[in-house]
Amino acid sequence: MTPGTFTQIYLQFVFAVKYRESLIQPKYQKEVFSFMSGLINSMGHKSYVVNGMPDHVHIFMSFDPKHSPSDTIKEIKRSTTN
């Protein structure tokens, strides 16, 4: 990007737990979603909403074009799996 260029990209991601099993137990949801939000922000993006159900997650974020959407989701999934 050239200096003085402004981008405003918003993306919504929805992804499911493997086999759509209810693995994100309600007592851990707040911790998991906060971790995901922090990870998104540390990558240079801005998370607005990270929420979901026991079997899937919704992420609404503004997107920094330095990273591709696929790399961003790959990193989120890799980090939260570990």
Side-chain angles (χ1 to χ4, degrees):
M1 304 232 101
T2 60
T5 301
F6 178 74
T7 60
Q8 191 169 8
I9 304 167
Y10 296 100
L11 296 175
Q12 179 176 355
F13 295 107
V14 179
F15 54 92
V17 175
K18 190 173 185 177
Y19 305 120
R20 292 209 48 117
E21 294 182 38
S22 297
L23 298 178
I24 308 171
Q25 298 176 10
K27 63 182 177 181
Y28 299 119
Q29 284 181 353
K30 184 175 180 180
E31 184 178 347
V32 170
F33 298 151
S34 293
F35 176 79
M36 293 172 113
S37 180
L39 180 64
I40 291 165
N41 293 334
S42 73
M43 293 178 73
H45 309 299
K46 175 147 176 49
S47 65
Y48 291 102
V49 178
V50 178
N51 210 336
M53 300 297 290
D55 65 343
H56 70 277
V57 176
H58 293 261
I59 298 173
F60 182 68
M61 60 187 273
S62 62
F63 190 74
D64 182 353
K66 288 188 278 185
H67 305 282
S68 70
S70 60
D71 287 343
T72 300
I73 290 300
K74 181 179 176 181
E75 181 61 26
I76 292 169
K77 286 184 162 187
R78 185 192 65 76
S79 296
T80 56
T81 298
N82 296 331

